[in-house]
């Protein structure tokens, strides 16, 4: 079993979690798709994840309980169904402490 030192844990850049916004199926104009926002490299549970469509939060999004990694960070996943329109802007915002980052969709 590998052991991780406290020093290694503290080297993790906790103020900038990594996130990806994606779909599980190819996008088709006018069809319902599921958008996912996967966030990893999180040290604190003080995190707010929002999935946005045209800069407005999409209602009904569901978030999985956080799962811990061997590096003492955790990851989580938020998802929501939307009707896809190529003219719309889809993104995920992640607020972690005082840092806010936006991530654009990476459609299949």
């Amino acid at each position: 079993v590998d052991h991780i030192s406290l020093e290694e844990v503290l080297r993790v850049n906790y103020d900038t979690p990594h996130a990806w916004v994606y779909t599980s199926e190819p996008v088709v104009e006018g069809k319902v798709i599921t958008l996912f926002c996967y966030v990893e490299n999180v040290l604190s549970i003080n995190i707010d994840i929002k999935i946005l469509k045209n800069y407005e939060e999409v209602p009904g999004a569901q978030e999985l309980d956080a799962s811990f990694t061997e590096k003492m960070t955790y990851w989580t996943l938020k998802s929501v169904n939307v009707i896809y329109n190529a003219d719309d802007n889809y993104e995920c915002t992640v607020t972690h402490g005082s840092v806010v980052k936006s991530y654009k969709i990476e459609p299949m």
Side-chain angles (χ1 to χ4, degrees), residues 26-86:
V27 294
V28 177
E29 186 79 22
K31 298 290 184 182
V32 174
I33 61 168
T34 303
L35 289 177
F36 295 94
C37 183
Y38 171 81
V39 183
E40 68 177 13
N41 196 34
V42 179
L43 279 179
S44 167
I45 59 171
N46 182 20
I47 189 165
D48 183 45
I49 302 167
K50 294 180 179 159
I51 298 177
L52 308 175
K53 177 179 175 181
N54 297 326
Y55 310 103
E56 299 282 332
E57 186 171 9
V58 181
Q62 297 186 5
E63 188 171 340
L64 292 177
D65 289 335
S67 295
F68 285 91
T69 70
E70 68 280 351
K71 292 184 178 181
M72 300 301 290
T73 62
Y74 76 87
W75 64 268
T76 189
L77 181 72
K78 195 162 193 175
S79 64
V80 69
N81 292 331
V82 297
I83 297 174
Y84 182 77
N85 181 327

Side-chain angles (χ1 to χ4, degrees), residues 5-35:
S5 70
L6 180 58
E7 182 179 321
E8 289 175 294
V9 171
L10 294 176
R11 266 190 248 144
V12 175
N13 190 356
Y14 70 89
D15 63 348
T16 54
H18 306 289
W20 293 268
V21 183
Y22 60 93
T23 64
S24 61
E25 61 275 333
V27 294
V28 177
E29 186 79 22
K31 298 290 184 182
V32 174
I33 61 168
T34 303
L35 289 177

